[in-house]
Amino acid sequence: MTNSVYAPETKKLRRSTSDKMLTGVCGGWATYLGIDASVLRIGMVAAVFLSVGIAIPVYVAAAILTPEEGS
């Protein structure tokens, strides 16, 4: 029983530079989660209305804390 020399590629959470509408947060998260970005964007808009705006500071924090692709 030998260990494999090749490790699987790890996914990294990054803001998208190509699939973005505002800051690329939803595009980057969608790539990381393996879902369509429009589904995540619709969910984010629904979260803003259902949480009475609490999702807005969460989005801003994600935009600040999540590094951009290529950096």
Side-chain angles (χ1 to χ4, degrees):
M1 305 226 165
T2 61
N3 291 334
S4 176
V5 178
Y6 302 104
E9 184 179 330
T10 57
K11 292 199 264 183
K12 294 188 179 184
L13 180 61
R14 304 274 187 211
R15 284 186 293 133
S16 177
T17 55
S18 59
D19 185 16
K20 66 181 187 177
M21 293 190 88
L22 291 175
T23 61
V25 172
C26 289
W29 277 81
T31 302
Y32 181 76
L33 296 172
I35 60 174
D36 189 33
S38 60
V39 172
L40 198 59
R41 288 182 182 115
I42 291 169
M44 188 64 189
V45 170
V48 167
F49 287 110
L50 294 174
S51 69
V52 193
I54 295 175
I56 294 172
V58 172
Y59 182 88
V60 171
I64 292 169
L65 297 174
T66 307
E68 196 170 58
E69 279 179 337
S71 60

